[in-house]
């Protein structure tokens, strides 16, 4: 028996098979879920190609989270397929190059607002678009829906992460407000704060190797930057029926780095 038997899950943020979201989609299928993906912009064809590495004919919706028209169209398309949504993975992040690299003064508002919109506000935009379908999972005795977002612990200032760190702090706060406002509809909203994993997004951050090089040494449990499945397992757990009373939570999957001093 799978942890997600019979559940219907929308997974955003699959670009390549190195994407954290790909590990979530694959594991969700292995646990019995039906999965639909979404992709955006120039990456959409890559998402479609990556979808073929999953089991069966996986539908890919076009959905740039900064495009309200695409959010509406994607929700309508998914609504024609499913009458409810049990799980929603937010695995979306982007910041212009000026926002990263180790100088917080370099970026101006034009660049910062892009980072905040794509990496933080998009959680609200996404949940809003699929809210009726998420709420439907909590009716007629259903267990309720689970929204999971991917975070990098924003409690401290990291090297090079700069405005992405600020965006993650916003994402953390936003997840708590969404948890507050969606609890009455039995929709849970939680984040998984992951340690560094080698993905396209991670490689685009100049100096990200400073995270990767030191993480394993600092982590009480050790850390493998090529292992996305440990992050996926936590997402699957939060989407399963094993955490029915957990919302507004940040679950650290970082080998324990958040718990120890430098
Ligand atoms: P990834 O494979 O590059 O995934 C990032 C995804 O965000 C891509 O699919 C990208 O699609 C999508 N995206 C960017 N702008 C978008 C937009 N406007 N609309 C819709 N989708 C958009 O990298 P990843 O590392 O797995 O990142 C997934 C999440 O995990 C991010 O939130 C990231 O911050 C978080 N995270 C990553 C790490 C790590 O070390 N890798 C650690 C902690 C947390 P396009 O490229 O097609 O735009």
């Amino acid at each position: 028996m799978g942890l997600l038997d019979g559940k219907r899950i929308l997974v955003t943020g699959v670009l390549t098979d190195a994407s954290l979201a790909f590990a979530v989609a694959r594991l969700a299928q292995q646990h019995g879920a039906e999965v639909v993906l979404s992709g955006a912009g120039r990456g959409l064809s890559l998402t479609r190609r990556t979808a073929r590495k999953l089991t069966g004919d996986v539908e890919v919706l076009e959905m740039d989270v900064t495009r309200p028209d695409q959010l509406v169209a994607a929700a309508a398309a998914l609504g024609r397929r499913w009458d409810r949504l049990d799980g929603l993975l937010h695995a979306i992040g982007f910041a212009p190059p000026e926002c990263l690299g180790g100088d917080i003064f370099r970026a101006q508002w034009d660049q910062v607002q892009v980072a905040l919109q794509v990496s933080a506000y998009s959680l609200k935009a996404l949940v809003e678009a699929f809210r009726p379908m998420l709420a439907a999972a909590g009716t007629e005795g259903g267990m309720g829906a689970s929204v999971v977002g991917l975070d990098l612990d924003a409690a401290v200032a990291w090297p090079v992460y700069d405005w992405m760190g600020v965006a993650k702090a916003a994402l953390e706060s936003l997840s708590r407000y969404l948890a507050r406002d969606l609890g009455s509809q039995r929709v849970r909203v939680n984040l998984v704060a992951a340690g560094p994993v080698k993905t396209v997004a991670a490689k685009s951050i100049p100096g990200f190797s400073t995270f990767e090089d030191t993480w394993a040494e600092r982590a009480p449990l050790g850390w493998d930057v090529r292992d996305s499945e440990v992050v996926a397992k936590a997402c699957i757990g939060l989407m399963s029926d094993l955490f029915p009373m957990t919302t507004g939570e940040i679950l650290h999957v970082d080998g324990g780095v958040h718990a120890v001093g430098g």
Side-chain angles (χ1 to χ4, degrees):
M1 209 183 80
L3 282 174
L4 301 180
D5 276 344
K7 294 206 186 286
R8 295 158 170 183
I9 295 176
L10 175 62
V11 176
T12 70
V14 173
L15 191 58
T16 69
D17 57 8
S19 297
L20 291 172
F22 179 80
V24 175
R26 188 175 49 195
L27 201 58
Q29 284 191 326
Q30 287 167 8
H31 276 279
E34 210 183 323
V35 168
V36 167
L37 306 184
S38 69
R42 279 180 297 165
L44 182 62
S45 56
L46 194 47
T47 302
R48 291 214 161 98
R49 230 176 303 153
T50 307
R52 288 188 215 124
K53 298 183 180 179
L54 293 166
T55 304
D57 197 8
V58 174
E59 183 176 356
V60 179
L61 304 170
E62 180 173 22
M63 189 170 63
D64 180 330
V65 286
T66 66
R67 294 271 307 268
D69 57 327
Q70 291 190 5
L71 284 160
V72 168
L78 200 64
R80 286 191 288 276
R81 182 189 180 100
W82 293 335
D83 59 359
R84 59 164 213 281
L85 188 58
D86 302 301
L88 174 59
L89 182 78
H90 177 282
I92 293 167
F94 172 77
E98 295 81 0
C99 291
L100 300 157
D103 178 3
I104 201 71
F105 291 104
R106 194 153 66 101
Q108 301 303 312
W109 176 240
D110 281 355
Q111 293 115 28
V112 170
Q113 65 179 348
V114 173
L116 292 176
Q117 182 182 12
V118 176
S119 311
Y121 177 83
S122 62
L123 179 63
K124 176 263 190 189
L126 188 66
V127 167
E128 193 168 41
F130 292 93
R131 188 174 177 177
M133 291 184 73
L134 291 165
T139 58
E140 295 167 20
M143 285 299 289
S146 171
V147 177
V148 178
L150 294 179
D151 182 28
L152 193 136
D153 185 8
V156 296
W158 297 103
V160 308
Y161 207 49
D162 302 4
W163 287 99
M164 266 308 285
V166 178
K168 289 302 190 191
L171 184 75
E172 291 181 358
S173 178
L174 174 59
S175 68
R176 290 186 285 267
Y177 280 97
L178 289 171
R180 181 195 70 182
D181 288 354
L182 293 171
S184 62
Q185 295 180 294
R186 301 183 63 79
V187 178
R188 292 166 280 137
V189 184
N190 295 291
L191 298 182
V192 170
V197 178
K198 280 192 189 298
T199 63
V200 173
K203 282 180 197 150
S204 71
I205 300 175
F208 201 70
S209 58
T210 52
F211 282 83
E212 296 168 347
D213 295 346
T214 55
W215 208 274
E217 289 159 28
R218 294 183 52 214
L221 293 171
W223 187 255
D224 177 358
V225 294
R226 298 188 183 281
D227 186 0
S228 52
E229 193 160 283
V230 290
V231 179
K233 281 179 176 165
C235 297
I236 299 307
L238 287 169
M239 286 181 182
S240 76
D241 294 342
L242 294 177
F243 290 89
M245 279 295 145
T246 299
T247 195
E249 186 60 277
I250 300 174
L251 180 58
H252 292 83
V253 181
D254 62 353
V257 164
H258 73 283
V260 294

